[in-house]
Amino acid sequence: MLLGVNVPNFGPGTDPDTLRRWALTAEGLGFDLLMLSDHVVITSDVAERYPAPFYDPFTTLSWVAGATSRIRIGTTVLIVPYRHPLLVARMAANLNDLSGGRLVLGVGVGWARQEFEALGVPYERRGRLTDEHLEVIRAAWADDGDYRSGGVPIWVGGSSDAALRRTARFGEGWHPLHSTIPWLRETWPRLKKMAAEQGRPAPALAPRILLRITDSPVTDPGRRAGEGTIDQILDDLEQLSGLGADTVVFDTYNRDPAETLHPEAAWQRLATVAARYRGR
């Protein structure tokens, strides 16, 4: 099972040098994948969670790809309705080519109503638009023309029934966010059945989980994967591996923008998990 890192590409402590240090640290610790999130307009609803400066994922991943040699790169997740699908198809195909085939395109429908309004995209149609755009992206990549992707895998984010159907239809991977192990254990077979009904192979299970290391065990029955003592987190990884997870992406950000000023704390948590996981 591969391990990835969701890197903050936003916030007061984020700048080109910090992003480069994040990339080199993640690669140096042996992580397999580095992913960035996506927003275009930092409206007030976005800024509450992810304040400026917010670095565009495609541009920043190009910078990261040039600074690294091995680690894969990806989006968690690109908000599909924000851009013309042929633009996404070209940017993803080009970035995959320039990085030596290292791109994973994680996609989602988005949630920030004010940002949709600022971009002139109908919020209520975001699910349907995502499906339509993914069809166009797939068709562009399948053509023998100038959009050859080199096999960029699409990971579909989300946990709703619509997201599961979208994954079954379009995804090489399913990329749920901040879930519990029991919910994943219950939902994963449903998704595999949906994919079979579509005549497609089951997508890879590639969840993004928390990385919140506590001194005492978290006993809440609703505890999310990746939250608790280091032993609890390692047990979560064992259970995800047992479910057949292909990749697990750690999310170190705890919704406090001040964290971006001190990335060393997140790096230490990642180093702890990496060392203990490899030791097992």
Side-chain angles (χ1 to χ4, degrees), residues 25-276:
T25 298
E27 186 170 66
L29 289 172
F31 284 88
D32 304 286
L33 174 65
L34 181 155
M35 305 191 88
L36 304 178
S37 55
D38 177 38
H39 284 286
V40 175
V41 185
I42 310 306
T43 48
S44 59
D45 49 352
V46 175
E48 288 179 7
R49 301 187 189 185
Y50 313 111
F54 200 111
Y55 285 78
D56 168 76
F58 278 118
T59 307
T60 308
L61 288 172
S62 298
W63 163 249
V64 166
T68 57
S69 60
R70 178 194 58 82
I71 196 166
R72 299 183 75 191
I73 55 176
T75 53
T76 176
V77 291
L78 191 81
I79 304 171
V80 175
Y82 284 176
R83 300 167 179 86
H84 194 286
L86 291 179
L87 176 63
V88 174
R90 178 178 292 280
M91 289 193 298
N94 288 171
L95 179 52
N96 189 57
D97 191 22
L98 291 166
S99 66
R102 288 191 275 158
L103 181 65
V104 174
L105 186 66
V107 299
V109 302
W111 57 269
R113 182 182 289 270
Q114 293 175 33
E115 188 176 18
F116 274 88
E117 292 172 353
L119 291 166
V121 179
Y123 179 82
E124 293 76 12
R125 294 192 64 236
R126 66 194 189 281
R128 180 174 297 181
L129 286 171
T130 297
D131 291 346
E132 292 172 356
H133 285 203
L134 288 174
E135 283 188 349
V136 173
I137 292 167
R138 282 286 191 211
W141 287 349
D143 188 15
D144 290 332
D146 195 31
Y147 287 87
R148 291 187 298 272
S149 72
V152 176
I154 291 178
W155 290 3
V156 180
S159 56
S160 66
D161 285 347
L164 296 180
R165 291 191 296 270
R166 184 172 299 114
T167 306
R169 184 178 175 189
F170 297 107
E172 279 79 37
W174 179 39
H175 190 51
L177 172 65
H178 296 175
S179 307
T180 67
I181 296 288
W183 183 84
L184 287 170
R185 193 179 300 281
E186 175 188 350
T187 308
W188 179 228
R190 289 178 53 212
L191 176 53
K192 290 193 286 187
K193 182 179 178 181
M194 289 180 183
E197 290 169 350
Q198 293 274 350
R200 301 188 69 239
L205 175 60
R208 179 172 134 198
I209 70 172
L210 300 171
L211 182 55
R212 311 280 186 272
I213 301 177
T214 61
D215 294 328
S216 303
V218 176
T219 58
D220 186 332
R223 182 186 73 87
R224 294 172 292 178
E227 185 175 38
T229 63
I230 187 64
D231 288 331
Q232 284 182 298
I233 295 168
L234 291 171
D235 184 64
D236 290 338
L237 293 177
E238 292 281 353
Q239 293 192 59
L240 289 169
S241 178
L243 281 174
D246 173 84
T247 306
V248 173
V249 178
F250 284 113
D251 190 349
T252 64
Y253 182 60
N254 198 30
R255 297 283 178 92
D256 180 2
E259 294 175 33
T260 64
L261 295 165
H262 308 286
E264 295 83 4
W267 299 342
Q268 183 58 56
R269 294 196 298 275
L270 290 167
T272 299
V273 170
R276 289 287 301 273

